[in-house]
Amino acid sequence: MAKYIAFLRGINVGKIRIKMIDLKVAFEKMGCTDVLMYLQTGNVVFHADKTIEALKPILEKGLSDTFKYEAYVLLYPFEVLKAIIAACPYEAAETRHNYVMFISNPTIFDELYTLSRGLGAEAKTIEAGEGVLYWQVPIGKTLDTPFAKLTAKAKYKSCVTVRNINTLEKMI
């Protein structure tokens, strides 16, 4: 059995509301064990006996069918999450949030990183990692930045999600 992290895109924001206990039960029905939820935004740690490639379509279809929404799941081995956190180039700061933008499509990763280089001063707050972008934002400004507006496009919905580094550390 492998230990995984799943990030569900777009739940409990807007119209898609899912109780964490219901989400836990759904994961268990799809063959996952030791399922743990973090916060209300679709952060799941679990064990499964399938590969990521086999598991992803099972989870997306199962969640879509169960909760009647188009589910997008980004999956990572648990150990990869530890490495992503350790590689964060930004120190904690009282006036800024540190985020990790998970991007499961290499073409979209390249596109977003290239676009971020054209954001003037904000480009200095975005660094490339191994399949992720690290992003430091002034507290209270996350949704107002040019980069946030750029990444909110519908075309990125299926393969991009953002998590605060503090949340990720708690998941470990």
Side-chain angles (χ1 to χ4, degrees):
M1 284 257 176
K3 189 172 185 180
Y4 294 110
I5 302 284
F7 299 112
L8 280 57
R9 174 77 166 77
I11 69 163
N12 294 337
V13 292
K15 296 179 184 177
I16 302 167
R17 299 284 174 197
I18 301 173
K19 292 179 181 174
M20 292 302 99
I21 187 65
D22 296 337
L23 188 58
K24 182 180 191 294
V25 168
F27 266 74
E28 290 169 345
K29 285 182 179 177
M30 291 182 280
C32 301
T33 60
D34 305 317
V35 180
L36 299 171
M37 319 307 282
Y38 292 87
L39 301 177
Q40 299 294 311
T41 54
N43 305 307
V44 187
V45 177
F46 63 97
H47 286 89
D49 61 0
K50 295 178 175 34
T51 66
I52 286 177
E53 295 76 21
L55 196 54
K56 182 176 171 64
I58 292 168
L59 294 177
E60 288 181 338
K61 182 174 181 355
L63 294 171
S64 294
D65 291 349
T66 301
F67 299 109
K68 310 299 183 226
Y69 82 107
E70 191 170 5
Y72 300 111
V73 179
L74 282 77
L75 286 173
Y76 297 89
F78 189 79
E79 293 303 316
V80 168
L81 183 61
K82 287 181 179 181
I84 288 169
I85 292 167
C88 181
Y90 303 117
E91 296 292 324
E94 289 184 26
T95 60
R96 301 177 87 66
H97 283 300
N98 294 332
Y99 291 102
V100 177
M101 180 173 288
F102 294 89
I103 307 166
S104 62
N105 179 319
T107 302
I108 297 298
F109 174 86
D110 292 342
E111 178 179 322
L112 288 174
Y113 184 68
T114 299
L115 290 170
S116 77
R117 300 300 84 202
L119 294 176
E122 189 177 10
K124 295 176 186 170
T125 67
I126 302 163
E127 295 293 331
E130 199 63 37
V132 299
L133 293 177
Y134 297 98
W135 181 31
Q136 191 175 64
V137 185
I139 291 176
K141 300 292 183 188
T142 304
L143 299 177
D144 299 328
T145 68
F147 191 58
K149 291 174 183 171
L150 172 76
T151 60
K153 293 179 181 176
K155 75 183 220 172
Y156 302 130
K157 201 161 105 169
S158 67
C159 62
V160 176
T161 194
V162 179
R163 295 298 189 270
N164 187 302
I165 196 102
N166 295 332
T167 298
L168 300 175
E169 288 171 343
K170 288 176 187 170
M171 292 177 76
I172 296 298

